Amino acid sequence: MARETWATRMGFILAAVGSAVGLGNVWRFPFITGQYGGSSFLITYLAFVALVGFPAILVEFVIGRRTERNPVGALRELGSGVWSRAGWLFVVTGFVILSYYSVVAGWFLRYTLIGITEGYTLTDPSEANALYQSVSAGLDAVVFHALFMLLVVGIIAAGVRRGIELSVKVMVPAILVLLVGLAAYGSTLDGASAAYAYYLSPDFGTIAANWTEILPAAAGQAFFTLSLGMGVMITYASYLGEDRNLAADAGAIATIDTLVAVLVGFVVFPVLFSVGIEPGTGGPGAIFVSLTAAFAGIPGGRVLGIVFFGMVGIAALSSAISILEVLVSYLIDEVGVARVPAAAAVGAAVFLLGVPVAVDTIFLGLYDGLAYGILLVLGSLLLVLFVGWVVPDLGREELRKGIADVGGLDVAWIWVVRLPVAIVILVSLILGVTDYVDFLTGGFADWLAAR
Ligand code: TRP
């Protein structure tokens, strides 16, 4: 059977935007931005997307379009020695990320449902926190994790055109329309002006004083939000039939993803400021607790909450399918399994791997720290070194295809990838490993000792 391709250029861009826009923009970005001081973080992150993220997307695109393969097969075809086996890393990373991503996405489904059936009524933060505890861990969390994985498997089983392309044509415009509507509503809230000041007035003093923390956090956020480091963009580019302008497509994808993240800030911060909650007082659960408490206290909060949580659920779905597609395309290309059984089997395995996270959130730290702090960064480093130093001519040749007047772009790109980008990623990796060791010997060891 011939390998599938995208039906349209728009289909490819929407699929890639759908992959990029997800929990990273909506759930992770606001609490990380809050944690690192609002505007200072925003500026550093924007710089990273442009200077590191954009060249790194192109690295994945050229590999994918050149080989028309899944990441494992692509590296086996292009590389020799250890390089030919490096693609395995992406399969491992995909399993780990999707397993906890699905659990968190399940929380959003659950919160949407709570809004529909009961509304958000808990203004007292300790009660809102008790609700979060009951949603995020235990049988409920397992059930919603299973539900979300079923949706993901269903779309991937339907194929590249009928599954991914069709669904993102509905989901991505829906996400954008809902988000613009929410941000417009946010501007009418009492807290809006204080929120904008916090979010938008750059404070270079804060950046200078805290750069050792802000820098790696911004780098990691840039990779995660652009879906880089595990071969998603390799896989999606492998379904490109013709030669299009990869640089233009990468630019469009990075721009839309960034606009979405910035817009989310225009929703979340006014909502929080309007009920007097300081952003950034911590962690993955805080956004649920503080937002439900805020939705309970502002006019129209119930509808606002349903639309917000529902939108995040859709955004998470259009991202999660890209992760499963990497694993499934590997089984189809390399092992010869048919699409439907491949999707079902991988989906079941990912579900099982995610169950511990749904039972106790300590595993969220264990999985997320490993995937996002180490595996993704390592994956990006390998790809960047591979294209920059092992197959640079092939990379440049592939980039030039479809660009009418390339100028010096291909040469500039290779050099940016070879040195500055590779060095920044290496530094992030070292910091990520250090943080993870701290977590294992600190928080996780305490948790184990208390068993
Ligand atoms: N980019 C998505 C988000 O922001 C998550 C995601 C999808 C991802 N595919 C990925 C992250 C691959 C890393 C690697 O939510």
Side-chain angles (χ1 to χ4, degrees):
M1 206 176 80
R3 207 161 181 274
E4 270 195 281
T5 56
W6 303 110
T8 60
R9 167 169 195 245
M10 207 52 199
F12 164 65
I13 295 194
L14 288 176
V17 168
S19 170
V21 172
L23 298 180
N25 306 60
V26 190
W27 164 68
R28 205 166 186 287
F29 177 72
F31 82 76
I32 295 284
T33 305
Q35 204 164 312
Y36 294 101
S39 50
S40 325
F41 178 83
L42 182 66
I43 273 213
T44 318
Y45 158 80
L46 291 178
F48 263 94
V49 168
L51 302 176
V52 180
F54 174 72
I57 302 182
L58 287 178
V59 164
E60 297 206 16
F61 276 180
V62 295
I63 296 176
R65 188 172 70 181
R66 178 72 175 207
T67 58
E68 298 187 6
R69 291 228 165 201
N70 66 91
V72 178
L75 286 183
R76 190 178 293 152
E77 183 180 320
L78 294 180
S80 55
V82 272
W83 290 113
S84 68
R85 271 185 288 274
W88 277 103
L89 177 69
F90 304 129
V91 173
V92 173
T93 309
F95 268 101
V96 175
I97 293 200
L98 188 54
S99 72
Y100 73 84
Y101 200 85
S102 167
V103 173
V104 177
W107 302 348
F108 279 95
L109 295 186
R110 181 68 199 282
Y111 269 96
T112 313
L113 206 70
I114 291 175
I116 294 170
T117 56
E118 310 157 31
Y120 309 100
T121 50
L122 308 170
T123 40
D124 176 356
S126 68
E127 283 176 8
N129 187 45
L131 176 68
Y132 166 71
Q133 298 300 337
S134 77
V135 167
S136 64
L139 187 60
D140 291 15
V142 176
V143 169
F144 280 85
H145 166 47
L147 206 70
F148 185 80
M149 277 313 296
L150 277 178
L151 294 173
V152 177
V153 168
I155 294 177
I156 291 307
V160 174
R161 287 191 185 183
R162 276 191 319 131
I164 302 176
E165 191 164 350
L166 200 66
S167 66
V168 295
K169 277 184 177 156
V170 179
M171 289 195 280
V172 173
I175 297 164
L176 299 180
V177 169
L178 294 177
L179 191 60
V180 171
L182 288 169
Y185 183 87
S187 72
T188 67
L189 293 170
D190 287 342
S193 54
Y196 296 159
Y198 162 82
Y199 191 37
L200 297 179
S201 40
D203 174 355
F204 294 100
T206 310
I207 302 181
N210 300 297
W211 70 272
T212 51
E213 285 181 16
I214 293 179
L215 216 65
Q221 177 64 21
F223 287 129
F224 189 88
T225 190
L226 293 171
S227 301
L228 294 174
M230 64 148 286
V232 164
M233 295 301 174
I234 295 180
T235 308
Y236 275 10
S238 77
Y239 300 129
L240 280 170
E242 18 154 348
D243 287 339
R244 290 200 298 242
N245 186 333
L246 292 179
D249 288 2
I253 292 158
T255 306
I256 299 174
D257 182 65
T258 307
L259 283 179
V260 167
V262 173
L263 261 184
V264 168
F266 279 99
V267 179
V268 171
F269 295 123
V271 167
L272 296 184
F273 272 90
S274 72
V275 292
I277 299 176
E278 216 7 62
T281 34
I287 187 103
F288 290 96
V289 175
S290 53
L291 279 180
T292 39
F295 289 142
I298 56 178
R302 181 170 183 179
V303 176
L304 190 68
I306 294 172
V307 174
F308 180 81
F309 288 127
M311 178 208 65
V312 184
I314 302 171
L317 185 58
S318 67
S319 299
I321 57 177
S322 71
I323 306 176
L324 185 61
E325 179 61 22
V326 171
L327 305 173
V328 166
S329 72
Y330 160 71
L331 286 178
I332 296 175
D333 290 351
E334 309 296 309
V335 190
V337 185
R339 179 170 278 275
V340 175
V346 177
V350 167
F351 167 75
L352 290 178
L353 187 61
V355 167
V357 180
V359 170
D360 193 318
T361 41
I362 185 81
F363 288 99
L364 182 62
L366 192 70
Y367 286 36
D368 188 43
L370 178 66
Y372 141 87
I374 300 178
L375 296 177
L376 283 182
V377 190
L378 182 62
S380 291
L381 184 63
L382 289 177
L383 291 176
V384 156
L385 291 177
F386 183 67
V387 169
W389 294 99
V390 183
V391 294
D393 295 338
L394 187 146
R396 284 177 46 198
E397 184 191 317
E398 193 59 40
L399 183 71
R400 283 199 298 268
K401 285 186 198 159
I403 304 184
D405 178 14
V406 80
L409 178 72
D410 56 334
V411 181
W413 168 65
I414 284 291
W415 279 104
V416 167
V417 163
R418 279 187 168 175
L419 290 173
V421 168
I423 291 169
V424 167
I425 299 178
L426 184 64
V427 172
S428 307
L429 180 62
I430 294 167
L431 293 165
V433 172
T434 322
D435 283 352
Y436 196 60
V437 171
D438 284 349
F439 168 74
L440 288 181
T441 53
F444 192 65
D446 294 346
W447 178 84
L448 276 181
R451 294 293 99 186

